C-alpha cells in the first residue's frame, strides 16, 4: 500500500458534488488565468492550515455529520481548494491587491478553525509543551538549512525566495512533528512510506537510545533540500508554473505538520 491509512472516497452524492465544484472553480480560474507569483503562494499558505485543521477536526469527530464526508482524506484537499478558489476569484474581481485579500481571508478562517479546536480541546486540557518544542526545532532546522543553502548556493535561494524557505520549513515541520509524535507521545504514522522509514530506524542500534524519528527527519530534510535546489532553474525559466509547483511541494509538508501539532495539542 502507498496510500495513507484512512484514505477513502466520500459517498457518491458528495463525491459527484465535490468534483463538480472543483471542475467549476478550476475552469473559472483557468479562464481568469491569474498571475501566480511568490506572493500568491504565500497568500495560499494559510489555506493549507485551514485544510489540515479541518481534517484534524474530522479525525477528532468534532464536525457535524453532514459535512464529515467533505473533510476526510482526500476530500478535504478538494473542499479547501473550492473555498480558497472562490475567495481567490472574488479577490481578483473586487480587490486591487488580490493576494492580500486571499491571504487575509485564509488567515481569518485558519484562526477560526484552530480557535474552535483549541476551545474544544481545552475542556480536557491542552498539552502545549511538546508541540511547541517541535515547532521550535522545525524553525531552527529549516532556518539552519536555508542559511546553509544561501551560503553555498545563493542562486537557489535568490530564485526560489520565500517559497523555497516555506518548502523547507513545511517539510521540517512534518518531519519533526512526526518524530515527536512517535518517540515522545506514542502516536503512530499513517503513511506507508514514512512508516517504512521509521521501521528501518527501529531496526538500528540507535533505536533504544535516541528513538526512531531522527532518521525520518534526516530523510525528509535531505529530500526537501534536493527538491528546492532542483526547482531553482524551473522557477527562473517559468516563474508562474515553478512557484505554483514549489508551493504544492511546500503544502505537502506544511499541511501534515500543522495537522500533527494541532492533534498533539488537543489530545496529547
Amino acid at each position: 500500500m502507498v496510500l495513507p491509512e484512512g484514505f477513502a472516497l466520500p459517498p457518491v452524492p458528495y463525491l459527484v458534488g465535490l468534483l463538480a465544484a472543483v471542475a467549476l472553480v478550476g475552469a473559472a480560474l483557468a479562464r481568469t488565468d491569474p498571475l501566480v507569483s511568490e506572493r500568491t503562494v504565500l497568500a495560499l499558505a494559510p489555506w493549507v492550515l485551514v485544510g489540515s485543521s479541518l481534517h484534524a477536526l474530522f479525525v477528532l469527530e468534532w464536525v457535524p455529520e453532514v459535512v464529515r464526508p467533505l473533510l476526510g482524506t482526500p476530500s478535504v484537499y478538494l473542499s479547501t481548494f473550492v473555498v480558497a478558489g472562490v475567495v481567490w476569484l472574488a479577490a481578483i474581481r473586487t480587490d486591487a491587491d488580490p493576494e492580500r485579500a486571499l491571504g487575509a481571508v485564509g488567515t481569518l478562517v485558519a484562526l477560526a478553525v484552530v480557535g474552535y479546536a483549541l476551545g474544544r480541546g481545552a475542556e480536557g486540557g491542552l498539552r502545549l509543551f511538546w508541540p511547541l518544542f517541535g515547532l521550535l526545532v522545525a524553525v531552527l532546522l529549516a532556518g539552519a538549512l536555508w542559511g546553509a543553502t544561501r551560503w553555498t548556493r545563493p542562486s537557489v535561494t535568490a530564485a526560489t525566495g520565500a517559497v523555497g524557505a516555506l518548502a523547507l520549513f513545511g517539510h521540517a515541520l512534518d518531519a519533526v512533528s512526526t518524530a515527536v509524535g512517535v518517540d515522545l507521545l506514542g502516536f503512530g504514522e499513517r503513511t506507508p512510506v514514512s512508516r517504512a522509514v521509521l521501521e528501518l530506524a527501529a531496526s538500528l542500534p540507535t533505536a533504544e537510545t535516541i528513538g526512531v524519528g531522527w532518521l525520518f527527519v534526516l530523510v525528509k530534510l535531505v529530500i526537501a533540500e534536493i527538491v528546492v535546489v532542483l526547482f531553482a532553474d524551473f522557477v527562473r525559466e517559468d516563474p508562474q508554473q515553478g512557484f505554483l509547483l514549489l508551493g504544492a511541494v511546500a503544502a505537502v509538508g506544511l499541511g501534515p505538520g500543522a495537522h500533527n501539532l494541532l492533534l498533539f495539542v488537543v489530545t496529547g
Side-chain angles (χ1 to χ4, degrees):
M1 287 183 62
V2 296
L3 296 176
E5 198 174 298
F7 186 98
L9 295 176
V12 172
Y14 283 90
L15 180 61
V16 171
L18 191 54
L19 291 178
V22 169
L24 288 172
V25 172
L29 285 171
R31 284 197 305 272
T32 305
D33 192 22
L35 175 67
V36 177
S37 65
E38 182 178 21
R39 290 185 69 230
T40 309
V41 175
L42 296 180
L44 288 168
W47 291 99
V48 177
L49 302 182
V50 171
S52 61
S53 301
L54 286 173
H55 186 59
L57 294 180
F58 167 87
V59 172
L60 294 164
E61 300 184 352
W62 289 353
V63 294
E65 200 63 35
V66 68
V67 298
R68 274 187 62 79
L70 299 175
L71 304 180
T73 303
S75 303
V76 69
Y77 307 124
L78 302 180
S79 302
T80 306
F81 167 78
V82 170
V83 177
V86 169
V87 172
W88 193 2
L89 288 167
I92 291 170
R93 287 174 169 77
T94 62
D95 199 289
D97 190 349
E99 287 84 5
R100 179 178 293 180
L102 178 63
V105 174
T107 300
L108 290 175
V109 176
L111 288 174
V113 177
V114 172
Y116 174 75
L118 294 178
R120 285 287 300 266
E123 297 172 6
L126 299 178
R127 300 153 183 88
L128 297 172
F129 178 78
W130 287 117
L132 289 177
F133 172 80
L135 177 60
L136 176 61
V137 171
V139 169
L140 292 175
L141 286 175
L145 189 55
W146 184 249
T149 305
R150 189 172 184 176
W151 183 50
T152 58
R153 295 175 176 268
S155 61
V156 170
T157 58
T160 59
V163 181
L166 182 65
L168 292 183
F169 170 70
H171 286 275
L173 186 66
D174 182 25
V176 173
S177 65
T178 298
V180 168
V182 171
D183 284 335
L184 300 173
L185 299 177
F187 282 78
E189 173 55 44
R190 297 194 303 170
T191 306
V193 175
S194 302
R195 197 159 56 232
V197 175
L198 294 171
E199 289 171 356
L200 173 61
S203 68
L204 300 176
T206 54
E208 292 296 325
T209 55
I210 61 174
V212 299
W214 68 270
L215 182 61
F216 185 67
V217 172
L218 179 62
V219 169
K220 285 279 286 185
L221 291 181
V222 168
I223 292 175
E225 174 69 11
I226 291 172
V227 169
V228 170
V229 170
L230 292 177
F231 261 82
D233 286 338
F234 185 22
V235 172
R236 276 191 289 265
E237 293 168 5
D238 187 346
Q240 177 138 327
Q241 291 295 324
F243 276 128
L244 186 62
L245 292 178
L246 188 55
V249 170
V252 169
L254 183 61
H259 171 270
N260 289 344
L261 292 188
L262 184 57
L263 282 181
F264 297 164
V265 168
V266 298
T267 65

